[in-house]
Amino acid sequence: MGLSRMTGSPGVLWFLLHFIAQMALHLPSALPQDWVSPKVFWPGALWRVPFPTMVALLCMWFGISLPLVYLGYYFGFRKQPYDNPVRTNQIPRQIPEQRWYMNRFVGILMAGILPFGAMFIELFFIFSAIWENQFYYLFGFLFLVFIILVVSCSQISIVMVYFQLCAEDYRWWWRNFLVSGGSAFYVLVYAIFYFVNKLDIVEFIPSLLYFGYTALMVLSFWLLTGTIGFYAAYMFVRKIYAAVKID
């Protein structure tokens, strides 16, 4: 919330941005359960979401989740915004021509390899537990892998933003969020590989459910890793610019 206060967004835009942030994850999470349900496409399906359950989920969303989000934003908005260690220039500097490896898509592909490599083995066991009805016991090891994922996302985000600032490109905010969440692309590729090589799904409805829930998983993973990387890079930038002495 301190970041929102620091950008100086007006009240109407503040309300709209927070509503979009609320919808960004909750609306896609309802699609696999409610609209991609076999009840919509296949009336004779045995597995389907009852209509009262769908109404109850909507009531919980609009009656509990949405008010709590705005309540948290209200108290957060009353706090002091983040203070930048140095003043920024009102006139944007001209950004020099960048090298090919500083391209945004190349950065996403490069930065996503290390975090994905730290957790792809556990990803296999998680997919097996979800789609092949196998039991998963190694929750302690899963927590350790999560810590490694957080550290790797933070480190690769700091490295990427350092190279970008060295190239005199100050537009690192959204780029860093996208780059640090690049491992979600590899999760999507692995999910497609797992579907083709490990599962015997040939019908349309089960395939639709698989890719619907996979898209939700990839979106959640992208938001998680992108947020971790952005805050790590933001603290790094504040630290290095706080050490700059201006006479």
Side-chain angles (χ1 to χ4, degrees):
M1 180 52 65
L3 292 175
S4 299
R5 292 289 306 276
M6 188 178 63
T7 55
S9 302
V12 177
L13 182 59
W14 170 84
F15 183 87
L16 180 61
L17 289 176
H18 295 163
F19 182 76
I20 294 176
Q22 166 72 5
M23 298 281 288
L25 186 60
H26 287 78
L27 184 60
S29 65
L31 292 178
Q33 190 65 262
D34 297 338
W35 302 108
V36 189
S37 171
K39 185 177 180 180
V40 179
F41 302 100
W42 190 12
L46 297 177
W47 185 91
R48 54 186 180 180
V49 180
F51 182 75
T53 303
M54 297 171 59
V55 175
L57 291 175
L58 289 176
C59 291
M60 292 176 61
W61 181 22
F62 287 104
I64 299 177
S65 178
L66 192 62
L68 287 178
V69 167
Y70 278 103
L71 183 64
Y73 276 127
Y74 171 74
F75 286 106
F77 199 76
R78 298 179 62 182
K79 294 183 176 296
Q80 293 295 326
Y82 295 160
D83 294 327
N84 292 322
V86 294
R87 291 181 298 178
T88 58
N89 192 359
Q90 298 297 327
I91 303 176
R93 292 183 56 185
Q94 183 177 2
I95 300 175
E97 185 178 356
Q98 302 294 306
R99 299 291 185 90
W100 65 269
Y101 54 82
M102 295 302 298
N103 183 272
R104 180 179 303 174
F105 300 102
V106 176
I108 291 175
L109 294 178
M110 292 191 303
I113 296 177
L114 183 60
F116 177 76
M119 47 80 67
F120 83 96
I121 296 179
E122 288 301 308
L123 189 64
F124 169 77
F125 292 108
I126 292 174
F127 271 69
S128 300
I130 295 175
W131 301 109
E132 298 187 35
N133 296 324
Q134 297 184 9
F135 292 99
Y136 188 84
Y137 301 99
L138 305 176
F139 292 101
F141 188 73
L142 180 64
F143 178 74
L144 179 62
V145 172
F146 174 74
I147 298 299
I148 297 175
L149 176 66
V150 172
V151 174
S152 60
C153 284
S154 302
Q155 290 181 344
I156 198 67
S157 176
I158 291 173
V159 170
M160 295 300 292
V161 76
Y162 176 77
F163 282 120
Q164 183 176 353
L165 293 178
C166 288
E168 300 182 15
D169 187 357
Y170 54 86
R171 301 172 301 180
W172 63 270
W173 282 54
W174 281 108
R175 175 190 172 95
N176 187 262
F177 184 84
L178 295 174
V179 167
S180 57
S183 55
F185 171 76
Y186 292 97
V187 173
L188 177 61
V189 173
Y190 180 80
I192 298 174
F193 171 81
Y194 189 89
F195 177 82
V196 174
N197 293 276
K198 299 295 183 181
L199 300 179
D200 296 326
I201 299 177
V202 294
E203 297 181 357
F204 174 73
I205 296 300
S207 302
L208 193 63
L209 286 174
Y210 176 84
F211 285 105
Y213 283 109
T214 298
L216 175 61
M217 184 186 306
V218 170
L219 175 63
S220 304
F221 188 78
W222 174 63
L223 292 176
L224 172 66
T225 53
T227 303
I228 293 172
F230 172 78
Y231 272 98
Y234 181 73
M235 290 186 291
F236 170 75
V237 172
R238 284 175 56 90
K239 188 69 175 179
I240 61 175
Y241 277 96
V244 175
K245 298 184 181 299
I246 301 177
D247 297 331

